Amino acid sequence: MLNHLDMPAVPGVYQIAHTETGSLYIGCSKNIRHRVRDHVTALTRNRHVAKRMQRHWNISGRAGFTVCVLEVCDEGAIYARESEYIRQREPVYNGLQ
């Protein structure tokens, strides 16, 4: 289940996955816990910019998603590391479909 309280309040790269389809969103933040909380808030309010992820949330709800930390890293490296994970995993939610 997608729960921001399980996330560390550190800089790094994280992944949100829809368990039924395997669709991914990869993001980075200076504070992973706060950023994941922002995703949950937007999804709950039906206002997330990733429209496909929003559609899946509306069907599956919070229980249909998982979140994990891919890497904890220095703030200066988060964007480069996020880009590398996006290149490797090709997450469908990162496009604004």
Side-chain angles (χ1 to χ4, degrees):
M1 181 189 311
L2 186 66
N3 187 349
H4 70 279
L5 296 175
D6 294 337
M7 296 291 97
V10 297
V13 182
Y14 61 92
Q15 172 182 287
I16 298 172
H18 184 240
T19 55
E20 184 178 329
T21 63
S23 298
L24 301 176
Y25 179 89
I26 293 175
C28 69
S29 180
K30 295 176 183 178
N31 186 320
I32 294 173
R33 179 182 296 159
H34 288 166
R35 184 64 184 114
V36 171
R37 179 197 62 205
D38 292 345
H39 283 293
V40 171
T41 299
L43 288 161
T44 301
R45 293 179 179 171
N46 199 30
R47 293 197 169 120
H48 202 280
V49 297
K51 298 305 179 195
R52 184 179 293 177
M53 185 162 65
Q54 184 67 64
R55 283 193 302 273
H56 287 158
W57 178 276
N58 292 347
I59 294 166
S60 304
R62 182 188 297 250
F65 287 83
T66 61
V67 62
C68 68
V69 175
L70 296 175
E71 185 175 336
V72 173
C73 52
D74 293 330
E75 283 185 28
I78 61 175
Y79 298 110
R81 299 304 302 144
E82 176 194 39
S83 293
E84 183 61 24
Y85 281 105
I86 289 172
R87 186 188 65 73
Q88 290 173 359
R89 298 179 184 209
E90 301 179 349
V92 298
Y93 291 149
N94 285 76
L96 298 179
Q97 315 90 336

